[in-house]
Every structure is written in C-alpha cells, then in structure tokens.
Amino acid sequence: MNTNHQPVQRFSRSRRRFIRTSVAAFSGLALTRCGWRQGGVQRETASAGPTDKLFVYTWSQYTDDKLIKNFTAQFKAPVVADIYESNEAMLAKLQAGGGGNYSVIYPSDYMVRRMIEMGMLHELDRSRLQGLDRLAPQFQNPTYDPQNRHSIPMSWGTTGFVYNTQQLKEPPTDWEYLWKNRQQLSGRMTLIDDVREVMGATLRMLGYSYNSKDESQIKQAYEKLRELKPSIAAFDTDAWRSQILAGDLVLAMAYSTDGIKISQENPNLRYIIPASGTSLWTDTIAIPKTAPNLDAAYTWLNYNLEPTVAAEICQRQTVAIPNQVALEQLPTQLRQDTNLFPPESVLNKCERISPLGDFDAVYDRYWTQLTSS
C-alpha cells in the first residue's frame, strides 16, 4: 500500500444509522452491525452510569458482543458500549456534557483532527501502549494525527456502490453511471446521508477534488445533484440494506464495510469501487480528555492492538485493519479480497476527505438546499 495514500476519513453527516443502544458485558445481547439484528440489548447510557465501568462510544461494527465478553473475562472490567450514527452526533454529545463517562471513543480521522484542534482528546502516553509497531508503516504517522499522538487507527476503507447483479445487467463502474441511468434507477437508488461523501463524489465526477474550496465548483456539484435528486429514493446511510435485500432498491451508495458485508448476505449483491476513484477513510480509537477511567481505556486500546483480536474483528465484521501482524494471520481469501484491501492501482486514485475549516459552511449550505427542497 502506498504510504502517500493513508486512508483518512471522510465525512460529515450520518455515517451509520443512529442506534441508541448500549451493550453491557454479560447482558446476553446479540448485536450485529448497524442494527441488522438486535436482541437482548441493555439500554444504559454513559451519562447515567457509574465511572468504575468502561464506557465506550463507538460505531456499531467495532464493538460486538464477543469482543466485550472476551475483554471482560480477561480483565474483569465491565464494559458498556453506546452506539452513535455519526461523528457529529458523537461530538455534539461530548460538547453538551452528555458524554462525561466515556473513556473511549471512535472518531474518524477528520474528526480526530478537529477534536485535537478543539483540545478534546487526551494525548496518549506511548509508554502505556503496546503494539504500535504492529501497525503498517503508512498508519504509523498519519497526516490527521502525526505519530498517532491522540488516536490509534482501528479500521479503514472506501466508499462505493452496492448493486443487484440480477436487476442491473450493465453494472455501475463509475459515478457518472447514476446520471446516465437515472431513469432506470428512478426511485430505486439511495445515496449516503453525508454531505462530504455525496458532494465529494459529484466533485470527483466533474474532475474536481473531494476537498475543493472553490465555491463555483461546489455549486456545479449541487446543480448536478439537483438533476439527479428526482430519481433518488432517499439520502440514507442504513435503511437501504433491508430495502436492497428485499429487492426494493437496485443500487445504493455505501461504505465498503457495509457493502462487503451485505454482499456476503446475498450473492446477487456486489460492492464496487468507482473507477475514477473515491474517498479513503480511517476510523480510530481515542481517549477523550474527560475520560474518568484512564487505566481501563489504555487496557482497551492495547487489547485492540493485539493481532489476534484485530484479526478476529476483521473476520467477524469484514472491516479492513491497519495491523500488519494481524493482516498476516487472516485467511488468504480475505487478504486477497480487493474490495476489502484494494490494490495500489485503486488507492492511487482515491482521496482523503479533510476538514475545511470555515469553508465547511459552504458545503452545508448547498447540502441543506439540496436535501430540503
């Protein structure tokens, strides 16, 4: 993998549907990714819980029942995991003081940078971390957090399409496919509910950067999306899965973690990365400055850096991992999955989404016009 293409994240609005759930060790729950299936979930929130527990605020696919049970059994530390829908939802809760009991959070790369600038992340004590040298070289000094001073990379991936191979005889290959085939796709496709992803993909189609700060280019992308909007069933990050499985949708813009997972559920569904390139992202593990349980937080970080643990997460949840030692432990078929671990030729066309400071407001303004009209 090219060290010039560190998967750095993406996005702003919703990445995954908000599941207001908590996962407690020994609770007998069954929690799968992003709300596909839930059972026996204990509804407990960090704002009300005792600080002797380890409260984790995370995306749904990173902290499953098995991970929590194994950690608790080994370290005798009760864990409660709350799930959030977007980086912004997580940030807003912490800013509002509702996340005072969280000792571990999972911000995406652009949000790490933002939270560092806001002084919200604990600077990691490297003497308390074990296994940083197991990370692949391109993950050891990421641009969003040099030397991983405030975060540890957890997972990385791309954004692309999931489509039904039985209903779309001509497969989508690039972003322009949506516009060229919008009549056929009308009412049967969804785009992610995420301003930077959707605007970024449209900017890429027009030959511009995902991180353009030229308002005339943003306006062009907005106008193209206005053309497409009548054919879009919804801007949605999660509900598309049940709809595409039921045959109500034939195509959905999706993150690789979701797209690969659902293609395993139904062999007629396939995830593809657009040929002209897409966004490249990283999700991390970090400790907020307000963390009440630092000892347990460091134990959690070290546990997730263990190659066996990282490899198991990759296999159970189909997420690409930055842990080089863990990667070598994966089955050959998984290591050679080019959607999960894209080759250099694909990565060279991808682009990291970066925070744009005050210019983010320009994206938000056009996004609001698009989605509210």
Side-chain angles (χ1 to χ4, degrees), residues 74-75 130 134 301-311 323 326:
Q74 183 171 342
F75 299 104
Q130 302 168 9
R134 298 168 186 150
L301 265 62
N302 286 327
Y303 185 67
N304 280 272
L305 281 167
E306 291 183 14
T308 301
V309 173
N323 191 313

Side-chain angles (χ1 to χ4, degrees), residues 261-299:
K261 187 77 171 182
I262 202 169
S263 66
Q264 296 174 340
E265 294 275 317
N266 184 338
N268 291 332
L269 301 177
R270 185 172 300 164
Y271 174 78
I272 67 109
I273 300 171
S276 65
T278 186
S279 65
L280 200 58
W281 49 264
T282 301
D283 288 338
T284 77
I285 313 178
I287 302 174
K289 271 196 174 177
T290 54
N293 197 340
L294 277 177
D295 289 342
Y298 274 103
T299 302

